[in-house]
Amino acid sequence: MSVTLTSSPSKEGVVTPPSDLEGAQPREKSDLAPHPRENISQWRWILTMIGIYLGGLLFGLDTTIAAAVQGPVYETLGEIEKLPWIGIGFPMGSVAVILLVGTLFALFDIKVLILSFIFLFEVGSAICGAAPTTTALIIGRVIAGIGGAGMYIGALNYISAFATPSEAPLYNASIGLSWGVGAILGPVIGGAFSDSSATWRWAFYINLPLAGVLSPVYFFAFPSKNPRPMESVMAKLKQVDWVGAILNAGVFVLFQVVLTFSGSTYPWNSGFSIAVWTVWGVVLVLFIIQQGWTIFTTKENRIFPVHFLKSRTLVLLFIATSACAASPITIYYIPLYFQFTRGDSALTSAVRLLPFIFINIFFMMVSGALLQKFGRYAALYFAGGAFILTGGILLFTADPSTSVARIYGAEVLLAAGTGLAFQNAYAVAAVKVDDNDKYNAIRYMNVAQPGAASIGLSIVGCLFQNLGFLALRDALGSYDLPEDAIRSALAGTQSAVFRSGNDELAHLAINTVAETISRIFGAVVAAGALLMVTALLMRWERLNLGARTAA
């Protein structure tokens, strides 16, 4: 999830290199342009990349770690109606601020900002680990999500500031790989702690010592880079589109709130659901109007780069990247499928993601190398979509008796597909925009990638809660169970339905939940098909990553 972009000049002139970047070798006199790392020694850049990769891994880890801890959290804290927020809180906090954070990184010193967001992420993690109530845990997840978004976008901007265009694909693959590995390991680590004496709380506490070990790197090795060194803090703050930032956050937060509560907590036709859907629609319209007509902002400073929507390639890249957000759905629901159908523990079910991990890593690196060498991005998207579509069909047609080998085969196909397509848009967009739009390109693709992943998880979570409840209610109707007991069955095999001692009841509930999970993978099928169609509409060109091309 990264991009390599050259830094753009400020209004006053060329950005001056930071004064603290000693020890680097001077560039040759024959160079036509300064190397973006000409004042950074090799060892310092390596340490910086290690810190960046760890940040990406932790961001990915916390995106999916709730998949394995919801059941244990429910046993400890209760409040089944709030359980979905443990998973949704983190990505919701991230996506709500993702455009604002991108704007801040285009204005302020990159090192100061990333250190601030790392601190915020650790504060959120500490609150989660020590949470005495589910509400406190949710608050901690939202805070950690905001911090995680800053860490991730900071990593993207470090790459944009200090890497050359020709390095972009491999750096993109590496940053995306770190996020992907973290996202895949989330259920594994969450399951391991949940099944151990350390309990689920250490699934969140673990972020603290990891960041502590690398704190010297963050403070002393990370280089500084101020994109607007001649402007004061107040002048920069005045350039931020605060109205757009608030409306944008409202669009994402309200959408996820109404998806989470509608149907599961409040009926779709209830006053609450109708009211929130209405408010969300109003906020969305206001955001579109405010951005389109630059109300309380300017075309240069508006938080969403509306002019990108005039570019065929950039629009298609946005759609393709959003389609790749099917990956977190796979990571989240395959372990759940094994918990219900095979009786796996949280750890064992998460370990079954290993085929996805290794294949995804391999194909993500292959994609970066192929894009760098051949530049045929449309072909990579088409192949990725075909793999995702096939793997999604295998999971969509699965049932409780489906063999483990078939599920592993679907994992391999999905891993190959997402690996080929997940990260390419950042590098492609970098050569499709003007230099002064480089930071806008990062923000634009961030909405498509982590933003779509967050929205995708919310939509699928809504489907799972609603379809699952209706299916269980129909299947278990003869047992006259209370609504809370039926809903708790969706949280995992720790619920009273599975511990009742009634084997027939448990078997019926397992089959029903497993079938619901299979239906969820219809979203993955749709994502794969959309990705293939989008690829066909792209320019089937050979991209020169070292030169700007027509968008």
Side-chain angles (χ1 to χ4, degrees):
M1 293 187 183
S2 73
V3 58
T4 301
L5 307 174
T6 56
S7 58
S8 58
S10 69
K11 294 178 180 178
E12 287 75 15
V14 178
V15 176
T16 57
S19 60
D20 63 337
L21 308 182
E22 73 286 344
Q25 296 297 321
R27 64 185 176 91
E28 298 294 331
K29 292 181 179 180
S30 59
D31 289 348
L32 297 178
H35 192 283
R37 297 194 302 279
E38 68 172 350
N39 294 316
I40 303 176
S41 61
Q42 185 174 8
W43 69 266
R44 191 170 188 178
W45 178 243
I46 291 173
L47 289 176
T48 298
M49 293 309 298
I50 291 173
I52 285 173
Y53 291 149
L54 177 65
L57 187 144
L58 292 179
F59 182 56
L61 189 78
D62 268 45
T63 300
T64 60
I65 204 166
V69 304
Q70 288 188 96
V73 167
Y74 171 59
E75 286 188 330
T76 304
L77 303 178
E79 299 183 288
I80 184 67
E81 71 280 359
K82 296 180 181 179
L83 201 60
W85 284 100
I86 298 171
I88 294 172
F90 184 87
M92 184 183 74
S94 300
V95 74
V97 300
I98 208 159
L99 283 176
L100 174 60
V101 172
T103 299
L104 296 178
F105 272 101
L107 294 171
F108 295 94
D109 190 293
I110 188 172
K111 180 176 181 178
V112 173
L113 284 176
I114 200 168
L115 288 177
S116 300
F117 283 113
I118 289 171
F119 175 76
L120 194 62
F121 176 78
E122 298 303 327
V123 168
S125 299
I127 293 173
C128 290
T133 64
T134 305
T135 299
L137 177 57
I138 294 168
I139 293 172
R141 290 283 286 166
V142 173
I143 294 173
I146 296 172
M151 291 163 55
Y152 178 65
I153 297 173
L156 298 178
N157 281 274
Y158 261 108
I159 299 302
S160 74
F162 296 112
T164 65
S166 62
E167 296 170 333
L170 288 179
Y171 277 125
N172 287 338
S174 299
I175 296 295
L177 179 62
S178 66
W179 183 91
V181 169
I184 294 166
L185 290 178
V188 178
I189 293 175
F193 282 120
S194 297
D195 292 344
S196 72
S197 58
T199 76
W200 58 267
R201 294 184 182 277
W202 268 94
F204 303 108
Y205 279 142
I206 190 63
N207 294 326
L208 303 177
L210 288 175
V213 168
L214 278 183
S215 58
V217 173
Y218 295 138
F219 282 102
F220 303 113
F222 269 32
S224 294
K225 177 64 176 291
N226 190 340
R228 303 282 184 87
M230 304 302 293
E231 298 180 26
S232 67
V233 172
M234 288 304 300
K236 293 176 181 180
L237 289 175
K238 290 179 180 179
Q239 295 178 48
V240 177
D241 179 10
W242 295 106
V243 174
I246 293 170
L247 291 174
N248 174 72
V251 168
F252 282 113
V253 171
L254 287 171
F255 186 70
Q256 292 180 291
V257 166
V258 73
L259 278 178
T260 303
F261 283 121
S262 293
S264 58
T265 304
Y266 299 97
W268 286 94
N269 60 355
S270 67
F272 174 86
S273 297
I274 294 172
V276 178
W277 276 114
T278 302
V279 173
W280 172 77
V282 171
V283 174
L284 176 61
V285 171
L286 289 176
F287 179 64
I288 293 172
I289 294 173
Q290 190 262 341
Q291 291 294 290
W293 280 268
T294 59
I295 301 172
F296 301 115
T297 186
T298 64
K299 288 185 177 180
E300 295 76 19
N301 295 330
R302 59 187 171 191
I303 201 163
F304 186 83
V306 176
H307 57 290
F308 283 0
L309 301 181
K310 298 178 181 178
S311 163
R312 164 189 166 189
T313 298
L314 293 178
V315 170
L316 292 174
L317 286 174
F318 187 97
I319 296 171
T321 305
S322 298
C324 290
S327 177
I329 298 172
T330 304
I331 297 167
Y332 213 91
Y333 285 94
I334 281 183
L336 198 60
Y337 172 86
F338 280 118
Q339 288 179 40
F340 280 104
T341 62
R342 301 296 188 273
D344 286 353
S345 66
L347 175 59
T348 303
S349 65
V351 169
R352 292 186 186 271
L353 284 171
L354 287 176
F356 190 100
I357 295 173
F358 295 123
I359 299 300
N360 188 257
I361 289 173
F362 175 76
F363 275 92
M364 199 170 287
M365 300 307 293
V366 167
S367 178
L370 289 175
L371 185 61
Q372 183 182 43
K373 185 174 180 61
F374 300 107
R376 301 289 186 180
Y377 61 94
L380 292 173
Y381 280 122
F382 185 82
F387 281 127
I388 292 172
L389 176 63
T390 307
I393 290 173
L394 289 176
L395 292 175
F396 182 70
T397 57
D399 57 46
S401 62
T402 298
S403 68
V404 173
R406 176 175 167 177
I407 302 300
Y408 285 165
E411 284 188 43
V412 169
L413 291 169
L414 288 168
T418 54
L420 286 174
F422 194 65
Q423 199 63 22
N424 300 333
Y426 287 99
V428 176
V431 299
K432 291 288 184 179
V433 300
D434 294 326
D435 284 345
N436 58 2
D437 261 334
K438 300 295 186 180
Y439 290 104
N440 282 331
I442 296 178
R443 285 188 289 155
Y444 180 72
M445 289 307 165
N446 281 339
V447 177
Q449 196 181 68
S454 172
I455 294 298
L457 282 174
S458 296
I459 293 173
V460 171
C462 177
L463 291 172
F464 179 66
Q465 290 293 327
N466 283 274
L467 295 177
F469 172 75
L470 294 175
L472 282 170
R473 187 185 63 185
D474 294 340
L476 308 180
S478 61
Y479 290 92
D480 196 27
L481 296 173
E483 182 175 316
D484 286 349
I486 295 175
R487 291 199 183 281
S488 70
L490 296 171
T493 53
Q494 300 92 347
S495 72
V497 171
F498 300 101
R499 295 183 174 181
S500 63
N502 188 326
D503 292 340
E504 182 180 353
L505 172 64
H507 179 73
L508 189 58
I510 287 172
N511 287 344
T512 303
V513 175
E515 290 173 2
T516 301
I517 295 173
S518 296
R519 294 173 67 184
I520 292 302
F521 286 105
V524 179
V525 175
L530 176 62
L531 186 55
M532 293 180 69
V533 172
T534 303
L536 290 174
L537 295 175
M538 290 178 177
R539 290 186 172 93
W540 284 65
E541 59 186 341
R542 178 169 183 172
L543 196 65
N544 180 2
L545 294 174
R548 183 175 178 269
T549 65

